[in-house]
């Protein structure tokens, strides 16, 4: 169906990142422009989101690998362990922050967010 897109709230992004509104907007615009250019050229991308995980964009495949600590903060250790016990393949979505990003991506660019 048709979905309405909400404009990004740069003021909230700026506050969360402790930067000015203008700096937040510029960063988001440059990042989306870089990703758009890479995808337009058919390049693969590994987008590292600090404290969250790695977003892999390879061809038509999009995959998110989360850091265990991030998932634990969201759900709590006990709930997370129960989920992994019930659905073992969820572990395939978890990656260590010390894992070399190059080992996750088959080839292409690696973009690391501060």
């Amino acid at each position: 169906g048709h979905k309405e897109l909400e404009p990004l709230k740069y003021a909230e992004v700026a506050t969360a990142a402790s930067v000015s509104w203008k700096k937040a907007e510029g960063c988001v615009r440059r990042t989306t422009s870089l990703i758009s250019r890479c995808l337009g050229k058919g390049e693969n991308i590994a987008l590292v989101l600090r404290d969250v995980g790695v977003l892999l964009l390879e061809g038509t495949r999009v995959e998110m690998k989360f850091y265990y600590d991030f998932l634990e903060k969201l759900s709590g250790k006990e709930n997370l362990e129960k989920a992994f016990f019930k659905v073992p393949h969820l572990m395939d979505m978890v990656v260590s922050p010390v894992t070399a990003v190059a080992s996750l991506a088959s080839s292409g660019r690696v973009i690391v967010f501060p």
Side-chain angles (χ1 to χ4, degrees):
H2 179 72
K3 293 188 179 186
E4 292 284 324
L5 293 178
E6 287 188 35
L8 184 60
K9 296 174 178 129
Y10 291 109
E12 290 179 22
V13 172
T15 300
S18 300
V19 297
S20 70
W21 183 92
K22 188 172 183 159
K23 188 169 188 173
E25 180 188 29
C27 181
V28 170
R29 290 189 187 279
R30 287 188 303 276
T31 301
T32 54
S33 176
L34 173 61
I35 291 171
S36 177
R37 281 194 312 272
C38 291
L39 293 175
K41 293 178 183 178
E43 294 181 28
N44 297 329
I45 302 169
L47 184 63
V48 180
L49 303 167
R50 183 175 49 101
D51 299 330
V52 175
V54 181
L55 178 64
L56 300 166
L57 303 154
E58 296 182 325
T60 59
R61 191 179 117 238
V62 177
E63 183 179 12
M64 185 70 199
K65 300 274 190 177
F66 295 98
Y67 297 140
Y68 184 89
D69 289 348
F70 173 75
L71 294 175
E72 188 177 71
K73 285 177 190 173
L74 288 180
S75 63
K77 185 173 185 150
E78 196 172 296
N79 289 335
L80 186 58
E81 288 175 358
K82 285 179 188 177
F84 287 146
F85 181 75
K86 288 180 181 179
V87 188
H89 74 273
L90 286 177
M91 284 299 292
D92 295 339
M93 296 176 60
V94 178
V95 66
S96 168
V98 296
T99 300
V101 176
S103 71
L104 299 174
S106 58
S107 65
R109 292 185 184 259
V110 174
I111 303 169
V112 180
F113 274 76

